[in-house]
Amino acid sequence: MAQSHYLNSKACAIALTISCLIVAASAGSFYDEMDITFGVERAKILNGGQDLSLSLDQYSGSGFQSKNEYLFGRFDMQLKLVPGNSAGTVTTFYLSSQGVGHFEFLGNSTGNPYTIHTNVYAQGKGDKEQQFHLWFDPTAAYHTYTIVWNSQRIIFLIDNIPVRVFNNHEVVGVPFPNSQPMRVYASLWNEDDWATQGGRVKTDWTKAPFIASYRKFNANASKVSLNSKSITSENDNQAWSTQGLDAAGRNQIRWVQNKHMIYNYCNDYGRFPNGVPVECTRSRFL
């Protein structure tokens, strides 16, 4: 077994006395991969299971989660966000069981850009926000949003361009999610008390229903099995298990963060009068 498989398998065994099945990337049917979790009549699986739409009205939003749990992997989803006046709405794609990374897409009034809100959670605590404006219209076509999660780091990518990396700094006391299995979640909901321009712009319910579209979910990941103690590998090419940023990736993320980042908790000195969190003083991209 390759070293990366050994490391991931060892993490599974130590964490919960469970096993991990290393599964190949597959664009599975939403019928097979996901469960609708709320707003059932507002979530629609379409095109034989290849597409899924979520809708929001003044009564409820909607959401779904993966049937499987994972411990490390690469997770891709294509999204097309709510078009037009999306103020007050929040569309999400994230990994969670009190941990890992969140993409939250904060809608805005017509003509103003979406805010892409990212956060990293470990041991139930986040407060590590970075926000961006995109260099394209995320409502006009599908774009691919990716979370890579391994034992060394979490990488957020958009159309395979890295926009954020959060490294494992447990050695200096920074919690990192590396032992709790996670599910994939997605949702569309209303949060107009804070989502758009700090809550100054409210949801216009005359524009409802608001609709966000998802497709081509891929999980190339260590899938947790609660029933088996064996560990098997279906694919020897698990690049995500050691994925970092090469020189090209570091150039790309610098471009994104220099040109398109609008908030970074590491620069919010008013929020941290006694000094920014320790990870902010470490290398950002290696």
Side-chain angles (χ1 to χ4, degrees):
M1 181 179 293
Q3 184 180 19
S4 61
H5 292 150
Y6 170 76
L7 292 173
N8 285 317
S9 301
K10 184 177 181 182
C12 289
I14 291 174
L16 292 173
T17 317
I18 55 181
S19 69
C20 287
L21 176 66
I22 311 299
V23 294
S26 60
S29 163
F30 280 108
Y31 287 118
D32 298 331
E33 298 283 350
M34 300 294 175
D35 290 321
I36 306 301
T37 53
F38 71 101
V40 174
E41 68 277 12
R42 295 170 178 82
K44 296 181 179 179
I45 299 177
L46 308 166
N47 191 24
Q50 298 307 301
D51 303 321
L52 193 156
S53 69
L54 296 178
S55 67
L56 164 69
D57 57 32
Q58 58 266 51
Y59 303 105
S60 178
S62 48
F64 60 91
Q65 70 177 37
S66 63
K67 296 179 184 291
N68 295 311
E69 292 184 311
Y70 305 94
L71 186 59
F72 303 137
R74 176 182 173 122
F75 306 88
D76 302 278
M77 185 82 79
Q78 291 194 354
L79 281 78
K80 185 163 61 173
L81 301 181
V82 174
N85 187 351
S86 57
T89 70
V90 178
T91 307
T92 70
F93 165 54
Y94 61 100
L95 297 172
S96 186
S97 180
Q98 303 302 310
V100 195
H102 287 213
F103 273 116
E104 295 182 340
F105 307 89
L106 311 183
N108 213 331
S109 51
T110 302
N112 292 303
Y114 266 81
T115 293
I116 309 305
H117 179 96
T118 67
N119 207 344
V120 173
Y121 290 80
Q123 299 177 10
K125 184 175 176 57
D127 300 330
K128 302 183 186 301
E129 305 92 343
Q130 290 182 355
Q131 295 182 342
F132 307 84
H133 284 160
L134 291 172
W135 51 95
F136 55 83
D137 179 357
T139 73
Y142 285 93
H143 292 268
T144 302
Y145 302 88
T146 301
I147 300 171
V148 173
W149 169 39
N150 59 41
S151 61
Q152 298 91 48
R153 62 191 60 85
I154 299 164
I155 308 172
F156 297 78
L157 304 101
I158 300 175
D159 292 334
N160 218 34
I161 295 173
V163 300
R164 178 178 186 179
V165 60
F166 185 85
N167 291 307
N168 184 342
H169 292 302
E170 286 183 305
V171 67
V172 292
V174 180
F176 187 85
N178 60 12
S179 61
Q180 178 68 35
M182 307 291 165
R183 293 186 190 271
V184 176
Y185 292 85
S187 60
L188 173 60
W189 45 288
N190 178 60
E191 198 64 73
D192 65 2
D193 60 341
W194 67 270
T196 302
Q197 300 177 34
R200 292 187 296 274
V201 182
K202 302 299 182 181
T203 305
D204 181 357
W205 292 114
T206 68
K207 306 298 183 183
F210 303 98
I211 298 174
S213 301
Y214 296 75
R215 71 179 188 184
K216 294 188 177 179
F217 169 64
N218 281 350
N220 187 353
S222 300
K223 184 168 67 177
V224 171
S225 171
L226 297 175
N227 300 318
S228 171
K229 294 183 179 180
S230 63
I231 300 169
T232 60
S233 172
E234 294 184 1
N235 188 343
D236 287 332
N237 181 21
Q238 300 296 329
W240 53 262
S241 65
T242 56
Q243 184 170 341
L245 297 181
D246 58 14
R250 290 192 291 274
N251 286 336
Q252 288 176 320
I253 200 170
R254 288 189 183 100
W255 173 77
V256 171
Q257 296 198 354
N258 287 337
K259 298 292 186 181
H260 300 284
M261 178 183 282
I262 59 172
Y263 177 80
N264 182 2
Y265 76 107
C266 285
N267 296 333
D268 194 341
Y269 301 106
R271 181 176 169 186
F272 304 107
N274 297 320
V276 296
V278 63
E279 69 270 11
C280 296
T281 66
R282 317 283 284 194
S283 174
R284 290 184 295 164
F285 305 141
L286 297 178

